């Protein structure tokens, strides 16, 4: 990367971090971003209930996300109030906030 590209990329990271801070969600992990993007694409940003069993979650590189990583990311997204877990503790239904 050239110096100009690196500086522009750093500026984008700073903007994203500031937005996350302003929204009081903190920094998202890479997998939290991947899971949120997968959910968003599946629902077309509609506030509908979604069963995660019906989604094939992929990471940034197109590789499947393991179940343990998926559930850890879902838990983090719930704690940050970006998604809502519906039903019982063992339920696989979620909704974007």
């Amino acid at each position: 990367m050239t110096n100009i590209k690196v500086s522009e990329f750093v500026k984008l990271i700073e903007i994203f971090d500031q937005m996350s801070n302003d929204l009081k969600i903190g920094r998202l992990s890479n997998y939290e971003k991947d899971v949120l993007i997968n959910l968003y694409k599946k629902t077309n940003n509609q506030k509908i209930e979604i069963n995660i069993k019906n989604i094939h979650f992929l990471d940034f590189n197109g590789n499947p996300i393991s179940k343990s990583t998926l559930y850890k990311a879902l838990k983090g997204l719930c704690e940050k109030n970006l998604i809502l877990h519906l039903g019982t503790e063992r339920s696989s239904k979620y909704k974007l906030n």
Side-chain angles (χ1 to χ4, degrees), residues 2-93:
T2 66
N3 286 340
I4 294 172
K5 288 182 182 179
V6 170
S7 67
E8 290 174 1
F9 187 67
V10 168
K11 287 177 188 176
L12 285 173
I13 293 170
E14 288 174 334
I15 290 168
F16 184 77
D17 282 349
Q18 186 59 49
M19 289 173 62
S20 296
N21 190 40
D22 292 347
L23 294 170
K24 296 180 179 22
I25 59 173
R27 193 175 256 187
L28 298 177
S29 73
N30 287 337
Y31 283 112
E32 287 173 334
K33 291 180 217 174
D34 292 336
V35 169
L36 187 59
I37 289 168
N38 279 263
L39 288 170
Y40 182 87
K41 286 180 178 179
K42 185 69 175 179
T43 63
N44 293 323
N45 194 29
Q46 297 176 13
K47 307 288 184 188
I48 59 173
E49 183 178 301
I50 185 110
N51 188 331
I52 61 166
K53 290 182 179 179
N54 300 330
I55 302 175
H56 184 66
F57 287 90
L58 301 175
D59 67 13
F60 178 77
N61 295 314
N63 300 315
I65 297 174
S66 71
K67 292 244 187 242
S68 61
T69 302
L70 171 63
Y71 289 113
K72 183 178 178 181
L74 288 167
K75 182 178 179 184
L77 293 169
C78 285
E79 290 171 354
K80 293 172 180 159
N81 293 318
L82 292 171
I83 62 172
L84 180 64
H85 183 213
L86 305 172
T88 65
E89 183 180 330
R90 310 259 319 151
S91 169
S92 60
K93 296 178 182 176

